[in-house]
Short mmCIF file of all heavy atoms in Angstrom, two decimals:
data_model
loop_
_atom_site.label_atom_id
_atom_site.label_comp_id
_atom_site.label_asym_id
_atom_site.label_seq_id
_atom_site.Cartn_x
_atom_site.Cartn_y
_atom_site.Cartn_z
N ARG A 185 18.84 2.92 4.97
CA ARG A 185 19.96 2.38 5.74
C ARG A 185 19.46 1.65 6.98
O ARG A 185 18.64 2.18 7.75
CB ARG A 185 20.92 3.50 6.14
CG ARG A 185 22.21 3.00 6.77
CD ARG A 185 23.18 4.14 7.01
NE ARG A 185 24.45 3.65 7.52
CZ ARG A 185 25.49 4.43 7.79
NH1 ARG A 185 25.41 5.74 7.58
NH2 ARG A 185 26.61 3.92 8.26
N GLN A 186 19.97 0.45 7.20
CA GLN A 186 19.59 -0.37 8.33
C GLN A 186 20.63 -0.24 9.45
O GLN A 186 21.74 0.28 9.23
CB GLN A 186 19.46 -1.83 7.89
CG GLN A 186 18.48 -2.05 6.74
CD GLN A 186 17.09 -1.57 7.06
OE1 GLN A 186 16.46 -2.06 7.99
NE2 GLN A 186 16.60 -0.59 6.30
N PRO A 187 20.30 -0.71 10.65
CA PRO A 187 21.24 -0.59 11.78
C PRO A 187 22.61 -1.22 11.51
O PRO A 187 23.62 -0.77 12.07
CB PRO A 187 20.51 -1.30 12.92
CG PRO A 187 19.06 -1.13 12.58
CD PRO A 187 18.98 -1.22 11.09
N ASP A 188 22.66 -2.26 10.66
CA ASP A 188 23.94 -2.91 10.38
C ASP A 188 24.73 -2.19 9.29
O ASP A 188 25.80 -2.65 8.89
CB ASP A 188 23.73 -4.38 10.00
CG ASP A 188 22.85 -4.54 8.76
OD1 ASP A 188 22.50 -3.53 8.12
OD2 ASP A 188 22.50 -5.70 8.44
N GLY A 189 24.20 -1.06 8.79
CA GLY A 189 24.89 -0.29 7.77
C GLY A 189 24.53 -0.66 6.35
O GLY A 189 24.87 0.06 5.41
N LEU A 190 23.86 -1.78 6.17
CA LEU A 190 23.40 -2.17 4.84
C LEU A 190 22.12 -1.40 4.48
O LEU A 190 21.46 -0.82 5.35
CB LEU A 190 23.15 -3.68 4.79
CG LEU A 190 24.37 -4.58 5.07
CD1 LEU A 190 23.98 -6.05 5.04
CD2 LEU A 190 25.49 -4.30 4.08
N TYR A 191 21.77 -1.44 3.21
CA TYR A 191 20.60 -0.70 2.74
C TYR A 191 19.51 -1.67 2.28
O TYR A 191 19.80 -2.65 1.58
CB TYR A 191 20.98 0.24 1.59
CG TYR A 191 21.75 1.44 2.03
CD1 TYR A 191 23.13 1.37 2.24
CD2 TYR A 191 21.12 2.66 2.27
CE1 TYR A 191 23.85 2.48 2.66
CE2 TYR A 191 21.83 3.77 2.69
CZ TYR A 191 23.20 3.67 2.88
OH TYR A 191 23.90 4.77 3.30
N GLN A 192 18.29 -1.37 2.70
CA GLN A 192 17.14 -2.13 2.25
C GLN A 192 16.47 -1.40 1.09
O GLN A 192 16.22 -0.20 1.17
CB GLN A 192 16.12 -2.31 3.37
CG GLN A 192 14.86 -3.05 2.95
CD GLN A 192 13.79 -3.05 4.02
OE1 GLN A 192 13.87 -2.29 5.00
NE2 GLN A 192 12.76 -3.87 3.86
N ARG A 193 16.20 -2.11 0.01
CA ARG A 193 15.51 -1.51 -1.13
C ARG A 193 14.02 -1.80 -1.02
O ARG A 193 13.60 -2.95 -0.85
CB ARG A 193 16.05 -2.09 -2.45
CG ARG A 193 15.26 -1.65 -3.68
CD ARG A 193 15.87 -2.18 -4.95
NE ARG A 193 15.02 -1.91 -6.10
CZ ARG A 193 15.39 -2.06 -7.36
NH1 ARG A 193 16.62 -2.48 -7.64
NH2 ARG A 193 14.55 -1.81 -8.34
N VAL A 194 13.21 -0.74 -1.10
CA VAL A 194 11.76 -0.89 -1.07
C VAL A 194 11.17 -0.06 -2.20
O VAL A 194 11.75 0.95 -2.61
CB VAL A 194 11.15 -0.47 0.28
CG1 VAL A 194 11.64 -1.37 1.40
CG2 VAL A 194 11.46 0.99 0.60
N GLU A 195 10.03 -0.49 -2.69
CA GLU A 195 9.39 0.20 -3.81
C GLU A 195 7.94 0.50 -3.49
O GLU A 195 7.26 -0.30 -2.82
CB GLU A 195 9.48 -0.65 -5.08
CG GLU A 195 10.91 -0.88 -5.56
CD GLU A 195 10.99 -1.69 -6.83
OE1 GLU A 195 9.95 -2.27 -7.24
OE2 GLU A 195 12.07 -1.75 -7.45
N GLU A 196 7.47 1.65 -3.96
CA GLU A 196 6.06 2.03 -3.82
C GLU A 196 5.61 2.70 -5.09
O GLU A 196 6.42 3.28 -5.83
CB GLU A 196 5.86 2.99 -2.63
CG GLU A 196 6.08 2.36 -1.28
CD GLU A 196 5.60 3.26 -0.15
OE1 GLU A 196 5.08 4.35 -0.43
OE2 GLU A 196 5.75 2.86 1.01
N GLU A 197 4.31 2.64 -5.34
CA GLU A 197 3.71 3.33 -6.47
C GLU A 197 2.59 4.22 -5.96
O GLU A 197 1.78 3.80 -5.13
CB GLU A 197 3.16 2.34 -7.50
CG GLU A 197 4.24 1.51 -8.18
CD GLU A 197 3.65 0.55 -9.21
OE1 GLU A 197 2.45 0.22 -9.10
OE2 GLU A 197 4.38 0.14 -10.13
N HIS A 198 2.55 5.45 -6.46
CA HIS A 198 1.51 6.41 -6.10
C HIS A 198 0.93 6.98 -7.38
O HIS A 198 1.65 7.18 -8.37
CB HIS A 198 2.09 7.56 -5.27
CG HIS A 198 2.69 7.13 -3.96
ND1 HIS A 198 2.23 7.59 -2.75
CD2 HIS A 198 3.72 6.29 -3.67
CE1 HIS A 198 2.94 7.05 -1.78
NE2 HIS A 198 3.85 6.27 -2.31
N TRP A 199 -0.37 7.25 -7.35
CA TRP A 199 -1.02 7.88 -8.49
C TRP A 199 -1.70 9.16 -8.03
O TRP A 199 -2.36 9.20 -6.98
CB TRP A 199 -2.08 6.96 -9.10
CG TRP A 199 -1.51 5.83 -9.90
CD1 TRP A 199 -1.32 5.77 -11.24
CD2 TRP A 199 -1.08 4.56 -9.39
NE1 TRP A 199 -0.79 4.55 -11.62
CE2 TRP A 199 -0.63 3.80 -10.50
CE3 TRP A 199 -1.00 4.00 -8.12
CZ2 TRP A 199 -0.13 2.51 -10.36
CZ3 TRP A 199 -0.51 2.72 -7.98
CH2 TRP A 199 -0.07 1.99 -9.10
N GLN A 200 -1.53 10.22 -8.80
CA GLN A 200 -2.21 11.47 -8.53
C GLN A 200 -2.79 12.02 -9.85
O GLN A 200 -2.23 11.79 -10.92
CB GLN A 200 -1.26 12.50 -7.92
CG GLN A 200 -0.85 12.19 -6.49
CD GLN A 200 -0.06 13.33 -5.89
OE1 GLN A 200 0.94 13.78 -6.46
NE2 GLN A 200 -0.48 13.80 -4.73
N ARG A 201 -3.88 12.75 -9.71
CA ARG A 201 -4.54 13.30 -10.89
C ARG A 201 -4.95 14.74 -10.62
O ARG A 201 -5.35 15.08 -9.49
CB ARG A 201 -5.77 12.47 -11.25
CG ARG A 201 -6.45 12.90 -12.54
CD ARG A 201 -7.62 12.00 -12.88
NE ARG A 201 -8.30 12.43 -14.09
CZ ARG A 201 -9.43 11.90 -14.54
NH1 ARG A 201 -10.01 10.90 -13.88
NH2 ARG A 201 -9.98 12.36 -15.66
N ALA A 202 -4.84 15.57 -11.63
CA ALA A 202 -5.31 16.95 -11.55
C ALA A 202 -6.62 17.08 -12.32
O ALA A 202 -6.89 16.32 -13.26
CB ALA A 202 -4.28 17.91 -12.13
N TYR A 203 -7.41 18.06 -11.91
CA TYR A 203 -8.67 18.38 -12.58
C TYR A 203 -8.67 19.87 -12.88
O TYR A 203 -8.02 20.66 -12.20
CB TYR A 203 -9.86 18.01 -11.70
CG TYR A 203 -9.90 16.54 -11.34
CD1 TYR A 203 -9.34 16.08 -10.15
CD2 TYR A 203 -10.50 15.62 -12.19
CE1 TYR A 203 -9.36 14.74 -9.81
CE2 TYR A 203 -10.54 14.27 -11.87
CZ TYR A 203 -9.97 13.83 -10.68
OH TYR A 203 -9.98 12.49 -10.35
N GLN A 204 -9.42 20.24 -13.90
CA GLN A 204 -9.53 21.65 -14.23
C GLN A 204 -10.25 22.39 -13.10
O GLN A 204 -11.22 21.87 -12.53
CB GLN A 204 -10.27 21.84 -15.55
CG GLN A 204 -9.55 21.24 -16.75
CD GLN A 204 -8.21 21.92 -17.04
OE1 GLN A 204 -7.96 23.05 -16.61
NE2 GLN A 204 -7.35 21.24 -17.79
N PRO A 205 -9.82 23.61 -12.77
CA PRO A 205 -10.48 24.35 -11.68
C PRO A 205 -11.98 24.52 -11.87
O PRO A 205 -12.73 24.45 -10.90
CB PRO A 205 -9.76 25.71 -11.72
CG PRO A 205 -8.41 25.41 -12.28
CD PRO A 205 -8.63 24.31 -13.28
N VAL A 206 -12.42 24.71 -13.11
CA VAL A 206 -13.87 24.88 -13.34
C VAL A 206 -14.63 23.61 -12.97
O VAL A 206 -15.78 23.68 -12.53
CB VAL A 206 -14.16 25.28 -14.79
CG1 VAL A 206 -13.65 26.67 -15.09
CG2 VAL A 206 -13.59 24.27 -15.78
N GLN A 207 -13.99 22.45 -13.16
CA GLN A 207 -14.63 21.20 -12.74
C GLN A 207 -14.78 21.15 -11.23
O GLN A 207 -15.85 20.79 -10.71
CB GLN A 207 -13.80 20.00 -13.20
CG GLN A 207 -13.75 19.76 -14.69
CD GLN A 207 -12.85 18.57 -15.02
OE1 GLN A 207 -11.64 18.64 -14.89
NE2 GLN A 207 -13.45 17.48 -15.43
N MET A 208 -13.72 21.50 -10.53
CA MET A 208 -13.76 21.46 -9.06
C MET A 208 -14.82 22.40 -8.52
O MET A 208 -15.56 22.06 -7.58
CB MET A 208 -12.38 21.82 -8.50
CG MET A 208 -11.23 20.98 -9.01
SD MET A 208 -11.26 19.30 -8.37
CE MET A 208 -10.42 19.50 -6.81
N ILE A 209 -14.91 23.60 -9.12
CA ILE A 209 -15.92 24.56 -8.68
C ILE A 209 -17.32 23.99 -8.88
O ILE A 209 -18.20 24.10 -8.00
CB ILE A 209 -15.76 25.89 -9.44
CG1 ILE A 209 -14.46 26.58 -9.04
CG2 ILE A 209 -16.94 26.82 -9.17
CD1 ILE A 209 -14.11 27.78 -9.90
N ARG A 210 -17.54 23.37 -10.04
CA ARG A 210 -18.87 22.81 -10.32
C ARG A 210 -19.21 21.69 -9.34
O ARG A 210 -20.34 21.61 -8.83
CB ARG A 210 -18.93 22.30 -11.75
CG ARG A 210 -20.31 21.76 -12.14
CD ARG A 210 -20.42 21.46 -13.62
NE ARG A 210 -19.58 20.31 -13.99
CZ ARG A 210 -18.49 20.37 -14.72
NH1 ARG A 210 -18.06 21.55 -15.17
NH2 ARG A 210 -17.81 19.29 -15.02
N TRP A 211 -18.24 20.81 -9.06
CA TRP A 211 -18.50 19.70 -8.15
C TRP A 211 -18.75 20.20 -6.72
O TRP A 211 -19.57 19.63 -6.00
CB TRP A 211 -17.34 18.72 -8.18
CG TRP A 211 -17.14 18.08 -9.52
CD1 TRP A 211 -18.07 17.92 -10.51
CD2 TRP A 211 -15.93 17.52 -10.04
NE1 TRP A 211 -17.51 17.30 -11.61
CE2 TRP A 211 -16.20 17.04 -11.35
CE3 TRP A 211 -14.64 17.38 -9.53
CZ2 TRP A 211 -15.23 16.42 -12.14
CZ3 TRP A 211 -13.66 16.77 -10.32
CH2 TRP A 211 -13.97 16.29 -11.60
N LEU A 212 -18.04 21.25 -6.32
CA LEU A 212 -18.32 21.83 -5.00
C LEU A 212 -19.73 22.39 -4.94
O LEU A 212 -20.46 22.19 -3.95
CB LEU A 212 -17.29 22.92 -4.69
CG LEU A 212 -15.88 22.46 -4.34
CD1 LEU A 212 -14.89 23.62 -4.39
CD2 LEU A 212 -15.84 21.79 -2.95
N ALA A 213 -20.13 23.09 -5.99
CA ALA A 213 -21.49 23.65 -6.03
C ALA A 213 -22.53 22.54 -6.03
O ALA A 213 -23.57 22.64 -5.35
CB ALA A 213 -21.65 24.55 -7.26
N ASP A 214 -22.27 21.48 -6.79
CA ASP A 214 -23.22 20.36 -6.83
C ASP A 214 -23.37 19.71 -5.46
O ASP A 214 -24.45 19.19 -5.13
CB ASP A 214 -22.75 19.32 -7.85
CG ASP A 214 -22.89 19.78 -9.29
OD1 ASP A 214 -23.60 20.79 -9.53
OD2 ASP A 214 -22.28 19.15 -10.17
N ALA A 215 -22.29 19.72 -4.68
CA ALA A 215 -22.36 19.15 -3.33
C ALA A 215 -23.09 20.05 -2.35
O ALA A 215 -23.43 19.61 -1.24
CB ALA A 215 -20.95 18.87 -2.82
N GLY A 216 -23.32 21.32 -2.73
CA GLY A 216 -24.05 22.25 -1.87
C GLY A 216 -23.23 23.42 -1.37
O GLY A 216 -23.77 24.30 -0.70
N PHE A 217 -21.94 23.47 -1.67
CA PHE A 217 -21.08 24.54 -1.16
C PHE A 217 -21.34 25.85 -1.89
O PHE A 217 -21.75 25.87 -3.05
CB PHE A 217 -19.60 24.16 -1.31
CG PHE A 217 -19.15 23.06 -0.41
CD1 PHE A 217 -19.06 21.76 -0.88
CD2 PHE A 217 -18.83 23.32 0.91
CE1 PHE A 217 -18.63 20.73 -0.05
CE2 PHE A 217 -18.40 22.30 1.75
CZ PHE A 217 -18.31 21.00 1.27
N ASP A 218 -21.07 26.95 -1.19
CA ASP A 218 -21.10 28.27 -1.82
C ASP A 218 -19.85 29.05 -1.42
O ASP A 218 -18.97 28.52 -0.74
CB ASP A 218 -22.40 29.03 -1.51
CG ASP A 218 -22.53 29.42 -0.04
OD1 ASP A 218 -21.56 29.22 0.75
OD2 ASP A 218 -23.58 29.94 0.35
N GLU A 219 -19.76 30.30 -1.85
CA GLU A 219 -18.63 31.18 -1.55
C GLU A 219 -17.29 30.50 -1.84
O GLU A 219 -16.35 30.52 -1.04
CB GLU A 219 -18.68 31.65 -0.10
CG GLU A 219 -19.90 32.51 0.22
CD GLU A 219 -19.86 33.11 1.61
OE1 GLU A 219 -18.81 33.01 2.28
OE2 GLU A 219 -20.89 33.68 2.02
N VAL A 220 -17.19 29.89 -3.02
CA VAL A 220 -15.97 29.20 -3.42
C VAL A 220 -14.94 30.22 -3.91
O VAL A 220 -15.24 31.06 -4.76
CB VAL A 220 -16.25 28.16 -4.52
CG1 VAL A 220 -14.95 27.47 -4.94
CG2 VAL A 220 -17.26 27.12 -4.03
#
Side-chain angles (χ1 to χ4, degrees):
R185 188 174 184 178
Q186 304 302 299
D188 60 7
L190 299 178
Y191 286 82
Q192 178 188 13
R193 173 177 172 168
V194 296
E195 296 182 348
E196 292 191 2
E197 294 181 337
H198 298 240
W199 285 264
Q200 289 187 306
R201 185 177 178 187
Y203 300 94
Q204 296 296 340
V206 292
Q207 292 178 289
M208 305 289 275
I209 292 171
R210 183 171 69 250
W211 297 337
L212 287 166
D214 289 345
F217 290 99
D218 67 6
E219 296 187 9
V220 178

